[in-house]
Amino acid sequence: MATPHTDSTDGTPGLPDAQEAAEILARTRAAVDPELRTAVDSLPAALRRIARYHFGWEQADGSPAAGNPGKAVRPALVLTAAAALGGAPARLAAVPAAAAVELVHNFTLLHDDVMDRDTTRRHRPTAWTVFGVPDAILAGDALQAVAHRLLAEDPHPAATAAAARLASCVVELCAGQQADTALEGCAPAEVTLDEVLAMAEAKTGALLGCACAIGGLYAGGSADEVEALDAFGRESGLAFQLIDDVIGLWGDPGRTGKPAGADLAARKKTLPVVAALSSGTPAAGELAELYEAPYDKGDLERTVQAVERAGGRDWAQVQAADRMSRAMHELARAIPSPESAGGLLALAEYVTRRTS
């Protein structure tokens, strides 16, 4: 078992969770961004241009931009898990692995935007709308390849196990995305909550779990500790997805950077929607009728209200709290010391109490 270690760079006792999480994310960006930029700059010029635009570092014409590269939750989980088990040296050693996880995450975003036909991400046009579908897909493929190369070239003794774990995670991510797109073509009555929860775990929970587990590997954690960290990340990821689905319906587009109702327009079977459809209430019947008809922007507000009246919002919020409780149990298995686990707890609280 790795010796629990309190790393002052990844958790300051006494700080409110939101402040602690913000500091962890800022430190993660400072540590990981140079690795990300070096990795992206290794791409051929045409693909590099798309990737740099996607990360918010450049405008479409190649001029510099001070855009939003994302919150860095996944690399923060890698570094914070490593620090929780192995202290500052493990955190430092895990920076290339954290960058690899963030590259894989952005590969999925580039592909998801194409498949979902999302036109906005991080408050500006998505890469496929600017550069075209083929180039956006290829840029995503290149980011995934560079992520695996980072681990293949990393001399750290945990790199091989981390590479295998990340590769397996990518397969699970692809399976989750395939299930998501397949569910779009199903009639509302054909979709069960269990199916959607399994899809959400594969699409979202898998990479958060992988991030935590890789941090554990770089800290020299035992097999049990690594698996508990993976379970912590997966349960946190499901809570994250539940809240994300709530924000997708009831969030402020000015804060989320995505248009309101995008998931409803695509007839996505998000968790609150499927919970509402399964409620057996009159509002569930109304929602099913709306979902079986072609999307009409004029029905957007009515559809959102039907989800809420059928209990979809309340169910998602209760489920998110339950998943967080399960996540805390798994975290205690991996890192019994509350002081050492503080940074991971702060990140979990951050992603499930956010509003954008």
Side-chain angles (χ1 to χ4, degrees):
M1 174 176 174
T3 301
H5 179 99
T6 301
D7 177 15
S8 62
T9 67
D10 283 272
T12 303
L15 280 180
D17 284 340
Q19 182 183 346
E20 183 175 353
E23 293 184 4
I24 291 170
L25 293 171
R27 285 192 295 271
T28 297
R29 272 282 166 230
V32 173
D33 270 6
E35 286 278 352
L36 287 175
R37 287 178 180 268
T38 298
V40 168
D41 286 348
S42 73
L43 296 174
L47 295 174
R48 179 170 66 243
R49 178 184 173 195
I50 300 164
R52 291 182 66 83
Y53 172 84
H54 168 76
F55 275 104
W57 302 331
E58 288 184 358
Q59 306 289 1
D61 62 5
S63 59
N68 172 16
K71 297 179 179 67
V73 169
R74 290 153 190 83
L77 288 171
V78 175
L79 299 186
T80 308
L85 281 177
R91 180 185 186 277
L92 181 62
V95 167
V101 168
E102 183 72 342
L103 287 165
V104 163
H105 174 54
N106 281 275
F107 138 70
T108 69
L109 297 182
L110 282 160
H111 283 206
D112 286 2
D113 285 344
V114 170
M115 286 181 271
D116 296 343
R117 288 297 187 261
D118 284 338
T119 58
T120 306
R121 179 172 293 280
R122 299 167 183 161
H123 303 280
R124 65 178 187 164
T126 46
W128 74 268
T129 66
V130 175
F131 300 99
V133 168
D135 281 0
I137 291 173
L138 291 168
D141 292 341
L143 290 184
Q144 185 195 166
V146 170
H148 292 298
R149 187 177 70 196
L150 273 179
L151 291 175
E153 294 177 347
D154 187 353
H156 194 282
T160 299
R165 197 164 198 113
L166 188 59
S168 295
C169 180
V170 168
V171 174
E172 190 172 357
L173 292 170
C174 291
Q177 179 64 14
Q178 189 279 328
D180 190 20
T181 55
L183 289 173
E184 289 181 36
C186 295
E190 296 174 351
V191 180
T192 69
L193 270 174
D194 285 344
E195 287 177 311
V196 182
L197 283 166
M199 177 270 291
E201 180 176 349
K203 272 197 67 173
T204 305
L207 189 55
L208 270 70
C210 182
C212 295
I214 287 176
L217 288 170
Y218 270 73
S222 69
D224 286 346
E225 288 170 333
V226 170
E227 291 310 315
L229 284 168
D230 185 276
F232 160 75
R234 284 176 179 270
E235 295 292 353
S236 299
L238 273 173
F240 174 98
Q241 188 60 57
L242 285 154
I243 297 303
D244 195 63
D245 286 351
V246 168
I247 291 170
L249 289 174
W250 292 281
D252 177 5
R255 300 190 67 180
T256 65
K258 299 183 75 171
D263 287 343
L264 295 180
R267 294 299 188 248
K268 279 192 166 293
K269 311 302 191 297
T270 62
L271 288 159
V273 167
V274 176
L277 288 167
S278 305
S279 67
T281 62
E286 178 186 352
L287 179 61
E289 290 180 9
L290 288 164
Y291 248 57
E292 287 170 350
Y295 176 71
D296 183 341
K297 191 174 182 179
D299 287 335
L300 175 60
E301 186 58 31
R302 182 183 164 204
T303 306
V304 172
Q305 290 176 0
V307 176
E308 184 152 15
R309 285 189 285 108
R313 186 176 191 170
D314 288 344
W315 177 88
Q317 290 172 331
V318 169
Q319 279 289 311
D322 178 64
R323 294 294 175 170
M324 274 299 296
S325 177
R326 298 186 197 188
M328 295 307 99
H329 173 74
E330 297 295 345
L331 182 58
R333 285 180 53 217
I335 307 168
S337 163
E339 189 173 319
S340 297
L344 287 169
L345 176 60
L347 288 172
E349 291 287 333
Y350 168 80
V351 299
T352 53
R353 292 187 178 178
R354 66 201 180 94
T355 58
S356 62

